[in-house]
């Protein structure tokens, strides 16, 4: 995976692009989860379906993307605006929009801000509801943890939740690479993302208006956004297909890449 860079004013948006400059391929955009970065999509970049071009940006401050200054009230719209700007710069007028967890929240904002960009949806281990009171309190303690311990504290708290039980038992390599990736993330990016997730609205009405083909994927062992959340997504979207990935947790694409890639390429082949 080779990182590309878009320099926009005083900011840099880093992204992976499986076929830079290829204007004839169909495009699928993949947005990463919290507290990771675009490299979480490496197993998908290793198996890009023929005729497709994958683009995976690092959201603001994550991976190789920088933050200039954060707005007073950071929102998912900021991420959506960055994605729209990147696609415009690359000359992409519509794409399959895929996102894992927080990446899914950002896609709901793209649906509100720039619906014409979306030709199909891939929602991976995500949910449409906003945070409840308990969820917001957890975000506040996570913010305090970032202040005290930076990315290492976040890694310690989240790793056991992100990775499914089977992966934890059978694939320590996946767990250690996810832990490493989290520890590399910048505290400002983590803070910005936590505040954006806390502020995000309920997106069920956005989803109910969706008419494009939609693939919903969830790891059978996901405890952050369990199968029941994916079922709610599938009920909200009129044209949705739900795939439950066995033996995977919250990072289904990384934990069970073969099963994920099969569902993903099968879906793309019908577009
Ligand atoms: C993520 O995986 O992106 C986050 O865990 C989602 C969340 O905390 O709501």
């Amino acid at each position: 995976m080779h990182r590309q860079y878009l320099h926009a004013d005083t900011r840099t948006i880093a992204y992976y692009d499986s076929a830079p400059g290829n204007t004839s391929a169909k495009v699928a955009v993949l947005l990463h989860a919290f507290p990771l970065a675009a490299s979480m999509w490496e197993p998908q970049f290793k198996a890009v379906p023929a005729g497709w071009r994958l683009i995976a940006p690092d959201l603001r401050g994550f991976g190789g993307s920088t933050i200039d200054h954060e707005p007073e009230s950071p929102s998912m719209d900021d991420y959506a605006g960055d994605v729209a700007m990147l696609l415009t710069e690359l000359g992409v007028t519509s794409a399959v929009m895929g996102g894992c967890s927080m990446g899914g929240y950002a896609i709901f904002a793209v649906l509100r801000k720039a619906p014409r960009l979306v030709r199909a949806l891939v929602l991976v281990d995500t949910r449409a509801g906003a945070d409840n009171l308990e969820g917001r309190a957890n975000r506040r303690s996570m913010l305090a943890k970032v202040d005290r311990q930076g990315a290492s504290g976040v890694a310690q708290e989240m790793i056991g939740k992100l990775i499914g039980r089977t992966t934890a038992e059978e694939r320590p390599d996946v767990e250690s690479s996810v832990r490493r990736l989290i520890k590399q993330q910048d505290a400002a990016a983590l803070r910005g993302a936590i505040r954006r997730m806390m502020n995000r609205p309920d997106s069920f009405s956005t989803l109910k208006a969706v008419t494009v083909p939609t693939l919903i994927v969830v790891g059978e062992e996901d405890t952050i956004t369990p199968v029941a959340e994916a079922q709610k997504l599938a009920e909200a979207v009129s044209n949705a297909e739900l795939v439950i990935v066995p033996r995977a947790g919250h990072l289904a694409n990384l934990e069970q890449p073969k099963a994920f890639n099969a569902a993903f390429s099968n879906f793309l082949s019908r577009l």
Side-chain angles (χ1 to χ4, degrees):
M1 281 174 98
H2 293 292
R3 240 194 216 141
Q4 315 282 318
Y5 297 92
L6 170 71
H7 300 288
D9 300 328
T10 52
R11 264 187 325 122
T12 297
I13 298 177
Y15 61 100
Y16 296 98
D17 187 339
S18 70
N22 182 339
T23 50
S24 57
K26 294 182 266 189
V27 173
V29 173
L30 294 171
L31 303 184
H32 63 82
F34 173 88
L36 305 172
S39 59
M40 71 168 277
W41 301 109
E42 189 177 355
Q44 286 61 59
F45 276 72
K46 283 186 174 156
V48 182
W52 284 87
R53 174 180 175 189
L54 300 187
I55 296 174
D58 286 321
L59 295 172
R60 213 174 265 212
F62 289 93
S65 290
T66 60
I67 299 181
D68 178 9
H69 67 278
E70 282 288 41
E72 199 124 301
S73 294
S75 93
M76 285 292 154
D77 289 354
D78 307 324
Y79 291 157
D82 290 348
V83 171
M85 179 168 69
L86 175 63
L87 293 183
T88 303
E89 287 294 324
L90 297 178
V92 176
T93 51
S94 100
V96 176
M97 289 285 168
C100 179
S101 202
M102 178 179 76
Y105 309 160
I107 285 177
F108 302 147
V110 174
L111 281 168
R112 287 186 282 269
K113 256 183 102 77
R116 273 193 297 274
L117 276 179
V118 185
R119 67 172 286 191
L121 285 175
V122 180
L123 302 173
V124 184
D125 295 287
T126 192
R127 60 153 52 89
D131 282 358
N132 59 19
L133 280 179
E134 187 192 344
R136 291 174 63 81
N138 291 339
R139 302 283 188 210
R140 278 190 285 274
S141 37
M142 187 71 94
L143 280 172
K145 185 164 286 244
V146 175
D147 289 342
R148 283 195 315 271
Q149 300 171 27
S152 299
V154 175
Q156 199 174 330
E157 163 135 0
M158 289 210 60
I159 195 80
K161 299 178 190 161
L162 290 167
I163 301 290
R165 144 173 59 85
T166 304
T167 305
E169 279 165 21
E170 297 179 5
R171 299 203 46 205
D173 55 313
V174 171
E175 181 169 328
S176 53
S177 70
V178 171
R179 189 190 295 276
R180 211 169 29 246
L181 182 58
I182 299 174
K183 284 183 167 178
Q184 286 162 3
Q185 303 313 313
D186 185 62
L190 298 172
R191 271 189 218 102
I194 295 167
R195 294 179 65 201
R196 288 183 171 90
M197 290 193 285
M198 258 177 113
N199 293 340
R200 77 189 196 281
D202 183 288
S203 292
F204 275 108
S205 59
T206 305
L207 277 185
K208 286 193 175 133
V210 164
T211 53
V212 295
T214 299
L215 172 66
I216 296 162
V217 184
V218 64
E220 182 186 31
E221 301 171 1
D222 186 347
T223 54
I224 298 181
T225 50
V227 170
E229 290 292 344
Q231 280 161 342
K232 286 191 216 164
L233 295 174
E235 279 159 27
V237 180
S238 59
N239 196 2
E241 171 184 339
L242 172 62
V243 173
I244 300 173
V245 179
R247 299 163 61 80
H250 190 59
L251 304 176
N253 69 302
L254 257 179
E255 295 180 54
Q256 292 295 340
K258 259 199 191 146
F260 180 92
N261 287 348
F264 186 45
S265 63
N266 181 299
F267 177 71
L268 294 184
S269 72
R270 286 178 272 128
L271 298 175

